[in-house]
Amino acid sequence: MPAKEILQEIYDEVASGNEIRTIIMHGYRLDKYPVGKIDGTDTWQVGERVRAARNDDDIPLNPFTAGVYVATMMAQIDVLREAGHPYSEIVNESVIEAVDSLCPYMHYRGVAFMVDNCSFTAKTGSRKWAPRFDYILDQLAYTAVDNGKPVDQDRIKDFLENPVHEAVTECCKLRPTVDISVDSASSTKEIVIE
């Protein structure tokens, strides 16, 4: 459960007040160390080319990527549930915001554009936690798969029997159809390093 480990750490940082202190301290340094855009590396450039060339009616679904995404979403659901949050909040924070907002945004403009146009808190947090997710997934989860570790059938059973499924069904009955518009330019200041 590598994703759950990181999500629990993030939850603990937020609950203790440490995360907001980090954001406030970063705000004090902002004039000296502004938040730069994150789309300059080859990774982000490849994403831009893929989005430009794709056929939106024929986008393949990679089962491994989908599995990691759903496992991470379920880990967040479990962290919030174990902390006593109501299902309406759990479903909104873990499922609805991803499906209705974040995923369409990323689909249209990419992860970098989404991150760079979120709140200052989200920009700072994503830059802080992304390397941790990268490490824990690349070094722990993916290596287990690469080394042939069998799928833990108890995890599949836990997913199928998770009570959040019923809550998602009920919450989805209450939400309206949503279209999201992301036509504007980036709100993040371009930082040129010479």
Side-chain angles (χ1 to χ4, degrees), residues 33-69:
Y33 303 107
V35 177
K37 293 175 75 172
I38 62 169
D39 63 358
T41 65
D42 189 51
T43 298
W44 304 115
Q45 301 305 313
V46 167
E48 192 171 311
R49 290 191 301 271
V50 167
R51 282 189 306 283
R54 73 177 172 217
N55 174 354
D56 281 345
D57 295 326
D58 188 28
I59 296 176
L61 177 64
N62 180 295
F64 183 79
T65 302
V68 170
Y69 185 87

Side-chain angles (χ1 to χ4, degrees), residues 5 8 21 39 52 55 66 71 75 85 92 113 120 126 131 138 150 154 160 189:
E5 178 182 339
Q8 185 65 59
R21 279 190 283 280
D39 63 358
N55 174 354
H85 290 263
N92 184 60
F113 188 87
F120 180 71
S126 63
D138 279 349
D154 288 339
L160 294 172
K189 178 182 175 186

Side-chain angles (χ1 to χ4, degrees), residues 19 38 115-116 118 120-131:
E19 189 72 10
I38 62 169
V115 166
D116 283 339
C118 286
F120 180 71
T121 302
K123 285 182 202 182
T124 304
S126 63
R127 285 166 169 79
K128 175 181 176 181
W129 294 104

